[in-house]
Amino acid sequence: MSGKGNVTISEIARECGVSKSTVSRVLNGKPDVLPETKKRVLEVVEKYNFQPNAYAKGMLGKRSDCIGVVIPHDIDYIFKNQYYAETLRVILKTTRERGYYVLLICCHDMKEAVDAVMQKRVDGLILITPLPEHKPAMMTFLNCKIPFAAIGRCQFLPEAYQVCTDNYQGAMLAMEHLFSLGHRKIAYIGGPNFLPSSGERSRAYLDAMRANGILVLNEMMQDGSNSIESGAVATKKILETCPDVTAFFVASDYMAIGVENAIRESGKSVPKDYSVIGFDNIPIAEQISPSLSTIDQQIEAKGEICANLLLDLIEKPEVEQKRSVEIASTLCVRDSTAVVRSDE
Amino acid sequence: MSGKGNVTISEIARECGVSKSTVSRVLNGKPDVLPETKKRVLEVVEKYNFQPNAYAKGMLGKRSDCIGVVIPHDIDYIFKNQYYAETLRVILKTTRERGYYVLLICCHDMKEAVDAVMQKRVDGLILITPLPEHKPAMMTFLNCKIPFAAIGRCQFLPEAYQVCTDNYQGAMLAMEHLFSLGHRKIAYIGGPNFLPSSGERSRAYLDAMRANGILVLNEMMQDGSNSIESGAVATKKILETCPDVTAFFVASDYMAIGVENAIRESGKSVPKDYSVIGFDNIPIAEQISPSLSTIDQQIEAKGEICANLLLDLIEKPEVEQKRSVEIASTLCVRDSTAVVRSDE
DNA sequence: CTGAAAGCGCTTACAG
DNA sequence: CTGAAAGCGCTTACAG
């Protein structure tokens, strides 16, 4: 027993006194092998803990049983935001269940993803929140006939398989919730401009305010970068310029944490003085204090659907799949929203 | 131009009118190629965006330029704790800079990691917080001569390369800080038993209390599971049974968030009524309110050192490396600790 | 400076 | 039911 982990099929074959072909058949569960032969081979395979070399398999155009998960954003941004951690978690879970390895690629310009594809390291790709600037890379995947699916809308490439949230509908839900509690002077803190979802959410905010006949002052709308701190900064500005605001609709839970912090630091309280509603429903939303009302964008469902979609694309290329799946968001009411304060 | 991404070295060679050998030489920067030949080859390579098939390379016993990052714990636990996200972030950053792909393996029993090794998918492995139960798998890696390095102490396997925090020293720092603020009745909330670090931290707590001649009641020590919620639950118990406590030393920042929440919900405030100090210094620690004093266990430094160590092990196997690197923790004072309240 | 040939570890027709 | 041979896409001695 060499113990070096470099046992090959030939050595197994020799030790069993059969040919490589036979060992291969046993390994791959092919029919037409004498039960005794099979048993003997399996014993030796077991003995050495033999695993066929993944490269040799890959050479034959077999699947690599490895997919790439690509997050084409700044790595510091990604790992500070629980949204990506959650998405990654469910993708990892789903792909594991179906027997795939995951190559994790966090690369702004997708170069490494393209390389991995050209090098045939992966059977397919999940792209998390791709942006219009990633279209050339995605065209390459199309040309290479590499299956890929995106989490997040890709209006710039309708041919791409995509699983996305209805951000407009979700944002409307948040606004309706606040209106139902009697709020009218509602401030909005938006996400970074480069994310298409930011635009969809702010559009819903404006439409809802307009539909209710409420004037939106410029000062009532601030942009953040999705960090906790940026949420706090935006809140301070709003509190200074529009103290008569009674509620905040915040485009991400992470920023909403900052909003709660800033309100508390200003000596006011949530939800007595100000209601706050976030967007995403990341796990920490229910664990902060007061727990955060938010829009559940079904991170788990999206990740699971997208992962299964990709693996179906890989395993059953002949089966037609839906190009675009849109998931409705739901309202999640916790302790950070309440009936409007009555001091006005 | 086939555009299918399956251009091979033979096709490049044909189009250039040279042999595969020559193309290979150019690709690998070997000497002795006529400059003109080289230029022509490079042009065609460029034209097709050719990348040598990673499997064919792997077949030759070349490095795969891929390492496995293994987190052998429950996947739900992992991704809810920012400690792992942070560690992953810096590993990804470091390995990328040095040109490696990362296979992310979250598997409780390390089975997938062992398989990946036997299949020769990876050049080496980083193990994040391995436990004694993982010793058999680690022995396999040793036998397979797969380089690996751990983040977290492996007392059960001194042969393993490991980069770890001095938990005892860090915990002592926390206790000294609290003592210096006049606290004596200090409660302790520990991490899960299965983590060796939990034991080291609680030992320091007990030693420090004893050294200061303070009696530790059973009720002053509670265990949590490192979740925010478990921190809150433990705090409630302590507040009920030992209201005269003035400070909390909490074995992880995540639990400390729960401690702050529970104190606030009990109508008391941090740090006026109770001081709280955590352990880890994950990014969110400075963003909660009040910002959390904590022990910085140098997550970034550990990750970077471990990743570079592994890559050195892979690239320069002849160079001797230190088996064990121990990183000192530092005290990080923020707003959650203050001079003891004077009501007693 | 360049090419032909062998070989890495598998699987898959093709014979028998 | 089983084996010998070819071939996947590279690199590397070995010739020239």
Side-chain angles (χ1 to χ4, degrees), chain B residues 202-249:
Chain B
S202 69
R203 196 161 50 81
Y205 165 78
L206 285 169
D207 287 356
M209 293 294 269
R210 193 175 313 128
N212 281 268
I214 307 166
L215 183 68
V216 176
L217 302 173
N218 278 338
E219 300 78 46
M220 288 163 64
M221 291 185 79
Q222 298 288 337
D223 275 350
S225 66
N226 271 353
S227 71
I228 295 180
E229 204 176 11
S230 72
V233 169
T235 303
K236 278 174 201 154
K237 273 194 216 156
I238 293 171
L239 254 21
E240 273 170 27
T241 54
C242 321
D244 57 341
V245 144
T246 67
F248 291 78
F249 171 36

Side-chain angles (χ1 to χ4, degrees), chain B residues 17-275:
Chain B
V18 298
S19 72
K20 295 187 297 176
S21 318
T22 299
V23 177
S24 177
R25 279 185 198 104
V26 172
L27 254 19
N28 295 288
K30 296 274 157 101
D32 301 330
V33 183
L34 211 61
E36 305 164 31
T37 315
K38 183 167 175 178
K39 182 160 167 290
R40 189 149 33 94
V41 170
L42 252 18
E43 278 167 11
V44 178
V45 164
E46 183 78 12
K47 172 175 165 194
Y48 292 102
N49 191 12
F50 171 73
Q51 294 270 351
N53 182 309
Y55 295 119
K57 276 195 135 141
M59 283 281 298
L60 303 167
K62 300 265 158 199
R63 291 202 298 259
S64 62
D65 297 326
C66 183
I67 66 154
V69 172
V70 187
I71 318 184
H73 302 284
D74 179 62
I75 198 166
D76 293 324
Y77 171 75
I78 294 167
F79 281 92
K80 284 183 176 148
N81 192 325
Q82 221 179 15
Y83 172 79
Y84 293 102
E86 267 300 280
T87 302
L88 206 50
R89 180 177 68 79
V90 40
I91 291 175
L92 234 36
K93 224 168 169 171
T94 308
T95 50
R96 247 188 79 184
E97 274 163 16
R98 291 183 60 170
Y100 286 77
Y101 283 95
V102 164
L103 208 60
L104 180 56
I105 302 175
C106 299
C107 180
H108 212 295
D109 61 6
M110 281 216 190
K111 181 181 179 323
E112 287 166 39
V114 173
D115 287 354
V117 164
M118 301 306 280
Q119 295 168 189
K120 306 239 179 306
R121 287 177 186 267
V122 292
D123 297 331
L125 250 22
I126 291 179
L127 310 182
I128 304 184
T129 324
L131 306 176
E133 67 198 80
H134 300 123
K135 183 169 174 178
M138 291 162 78
M139 296 296 296
T140 306
F141 304 148
L142 242 26
N143 287 335
C144 294
K145 307 232 185 304
I146 274 276
F148 70 97
I151 295 184
R153 197 183 312 280
C154 309
Q155 273 178 317
F156 54 90
L157 193 68
E159 305 94 297
Y161 292 92
Q162 47 199 287
V163 179
C164 44
T165 304
D166 189 336
N167 285 290
Y168 186 88
Q169 168 262 348
M172 274 298 177
L173 243 35
M175 294 302 289
E176 282 161 17
H177 173 59
L178 294 176
F179 285 130
S180 78
L181 293 168
H183 295 279
R184 294 182 57 79
K185 280 278 207 177
I186 301 170
Y188 175 74
I189 300 178
N193 275 323
F194 69 86
L195 292 178
S197 59
S198 300
E200 301 171 35
R201 295 175 197 178
S202 69
R203 196 161 50 81
Y205 165 78
L206 285 169
D207 287 356
M209 293 294 269
R210 193 175 313 128
N212 281 268
I214 307 166
L215 183 68
V216 176
L217 302 173
N218 278 338
E219 300 78 46
M220 288 163 64
M221 291 185 79
Q222 298 288 337
D223 275 350
S225 66
N226 271 353
S227 71
I228 295 180
E229 204 176 11
S230 72
V233 169
T235 303
K236 278 174 201 154
K237 273 194 216 156
I238 293 171
L239 254 21
E240 273 170 27
T241 54
C242 321
D244 57 341
V245 144
T246 67
F248 291 78
F249 171 36
V250 190
S252 78
D253 288 351
Y254 236 52
M255 290 197 292
I257 297 176
V259 175
E260 284 198 2
N261 287 347
I263 292 173
R264 187 183 306 126
E265 278 162 23
S266 79
K268 300 289 187 176
S269 99
V270 176
K272 201 165 69 65
D273 301 307
Y274 298 99
S275 282

